[in-house]
Amino acid sequence: MDMQNYSVVSEFVLHGLCSSRYLQKFFFILFSGMYTAIILGNLLIVITVISAPNLQSSPMYFLLGNLSFLDMWLASFATPKMIRDFLSDKKIISFGGCMFQIFLLHFTGGAEMVLLVSMAYDRYVAICKPLHYMTMMSRQSCIKLVLISWVIGFLHSISQVAFTVNLPYCGPNEVDSFFCDLPLVIKLACMDTYVLGILMISDSGLISVSCFLLVMISYTAILLSVRQRAAGGVAKALSTCSAHIMVVTLFFGPCIFIYLWPFSRFSVDKLLSVFYTIFTPLLNPLIYTLRNEEMKTAMKKLRNQVVTSH
């Protein structure tokens, strides 16, 4: 008999972040403010990069603008519903909505991981091969890197959803999270999903660890290169790349932890999920703007243009 005939679950019940009514009201105000800041902060970076000719022509800022665009989507796949659910007694999501959350999370998450590798490669070329920088990181090369990140994110995501959507769901439908997290959803299927779960989660773990290692290799190569050139080169290179290193650590840390221990019952998983879906997109604009004089100058010019036009 076709296994899909057993799939009678049409919706899932989300447990949310907590059950306390008072905490939910507090979280509603807190996360509403944070989500607004995420959208405005990342949108400001995108608009600044597009409107400033010197930034638009720079490979680093072109990739940064794309990172901010992905961050807005990463923060939006579940946060608006989570905020709305803080005011709801029953947190329900349709089967289709659940699958869409899984798709969007893995699509934007996978694309962002690959894009962070591209940004590390950009810093490697800029510091270790400065004479070839504009040739190796031409606009055409940057567009290809962005397209590659989107294609890899899409292929990774569609492989996850294709297996998940065809599993038989016939009974349990409660997800102990504020969104449809893949490891928690596949556990609800009416069949032994242990091996399938290991394969699917290994896929996510593989892309996380592989991208993280590629980023680390890029920065190791940078440090080894500058150390051979001049005294104090390592400190200067670290200062130049510090913003990107902070973003990489904040993004990859929670992802790798969650997918190395996917079936743990630790409440820390919820905290880590909040961290990489909300705090990282919130911190990225702050990290890249507060430590970057070029970006701050371009933002001031943009503000002056807006003020004078009115």
Side-chain angles (χ1 to χ4, degrees), residues 164-213:
T164 311
V165 75
N166 287 312
L167 290 174
Y169 300 94
C170 55
N173 69 336
E174 295 189 9
V175 180
D176 187 19
S177 186
F178 61 93
F179 68 96
C180 285
D181 198 6
L182 180 66
L184 300 177
V185 172
I186 60 176
K187 284 168 64 178
L188 301 176
C190 301
M191 61 176 284
D192 185 4
T193 59
Y194 182 77
V195 175
L196 180 61
I198 292 296
L199 289 173
M200 293 170 70
I201 289 156
S202 296
D203 183 16
S204 295
L206 181 64
I207 191 172
S208 301
V209 174
S210 299
C211 289
F212 182 72
L213 288 176

Side-chain angles (χ1 to χ4, degrees), residues 273-287:
S273 295
V274 169
F275 199 87
Y276 78 80
T277 58
I278 298 174
F279 281 98
T280 302
L282 177 67
L283 292 172
N284 281 0
L286 294 175
I287 292 169

Side-chain angles (χ1 to χ4, degrees), residues 141 145 202 227:
S141 299
L145 289 172
S202 296
R227 196 174 75 170

Side-chain angles (χ1 to χ4, degrees), residues 140-153:
Q140 193 174 9
S141 299
C142 290
I143 291 171
K144 284 180 182 177
L145 289 172
V146 170
L147 288 176
I148 287 170
S149 70
W150 281 65
V151 169
I152 291 176

